[in-house]
Amino acid sequence: RETGLARVADGIRQRGGVAIPVAADLTSDESIARLLATAQAEAGPVDVLVNNAGYAVWKPLEETALAEWDRTFAVNVRAAARLSAAVLPGMQARRFGRIINIASEAGVAIVPGLAAYCVSKHALVALTEVIQDGNHDNGIKAWVICPGFVDTDMGYVVPGANPANFLTVEEVVDMARYLLHTGDNVKLGPQILLRTMRNPMEG
């Protein structure tokens, strides 16, 4: 969303950073291509890629429409695969790169009522393992952070959950920042499970 992007970009600039917000529809190949072209033209080669977009519908398998399956996989898996495939050759040539995929606890466990989301996040975990397995000797690291419930709009999809007990966005960001600062000799993951100490389903 453009308004949210602009707000984040302003915060980065106020702290002395550089931000180039580009609104994109990750279900559209043309939009993804435009995003990549703009990023590389404005900021240069991509050394760090964080795939953080997510989409979910609260439905069991038998009630999930094909269009909902398609959108879930387009946003949660296909876009991450497309973006990763686009930046990997450059990372391999420079022998340096970091890819962080944001999955979910639903990527390592089953959450009843989130059929398409669970399957897509399991696929995102597998994608991360494929990236890491193929680049052990290229100076490239790939991780998949699997947080429990996070206090975002998507968290409200889950009936009966208590957002006061969710992880904060900052806690997930802190984990991503920690991973990006690990030394070249440090091996973690690629799966990083991140949970709150509180039960998200308790009031």
Side-chain angles (χ1 to χ4, degrees):
R1 294 177 289 273
E2 291 189 32
T3 302
L5 281 174
R7 185 169 58 250
V8 172
D10 287 343
I12 292 170
R13 294 184 188 115
Q14 289 170 11
R15 291 166 175 80
V18 176
I20 304 150
V22 181
D25 175 3
L26 295 182
T27 67
S28 162
D29 288 342
E30 293 77 13
S31 186
I32 290 175
R34 185 169 60 252
L35 169 64
L36 281 166
T38 302
Q40 292 169 333
E42 298 286 341
V46 177
D47 287 328
V48 175
L49 171 66
V50 179
N51 289 305
N52 183 53
Y55 174 78
V57 289
W58 182 265
K59 289 185 178 181
L61 174 64
E62 64 275 14
E63 294 179 13
T64 306
L66 286 178
E68 292 169 327
W69 276 97
D70 290 345
R71 181 169 179 80
T72 301
F73 268 77
V75 174
N76 295 355
V77 185
R78 190 175 185 276
R82 172 97 189 264
L83 288 164
S84 297
V87 302
L88 271 169
M91 291 178 173
Q92 291 163 347
R94 295 187 300 277
R95 299 191 65 79
F96 179 85
R98 302 290 185 262
I99 295 177
I100 297 179
N101 293 320
I102 308 297
S104 165
E105 190 172 354
V108 294
I110 299 302
V111 179
L114 282 173
Y117 184 75
C118 282
V119 175
S120 72
K121 290 301 186 178
H122 274 73
L124 186 59
V125 169
L127 172 67
T128 310
E129 293 172 350
V130 166
I131 294 168
Q132 185 61 83
D133 186 68
N135 291 280
H136 281 302
D137 301 321
N138 289 328
I140 296 167
K141 293 185 179 185
W143 301 280
V144 54
I145 299 176
C146 300
F149 295 105
V150 181
D151 188 14
T152 65
D153 291 346
M154 189 180 295
Y156 293 86
V157 169
V158 183
N162 180 7
N165 293 341
F166 288 4
L167 291 164
T168 66
V169 171
E170 289 75 15
E171 287 166 333
V172 180
V173 171
D174 284 344
M175 176 54 67
R177 185 181 293 115
Y178 171 78
L179 293 171
L180 292 174
H181 286 89
T182 56
D184 290 341
N185 194 45
V186 175
K187 181 174 176 60
L188 283 172
Q191 297 177 25
I192 309 294
L193 185 60
L194 187 64
R195 289 174 168 158
T196 176
M197 296 293 291
R198 300 178 297 275
N199 185 339
M201 302 305 292
E202 288 183 354

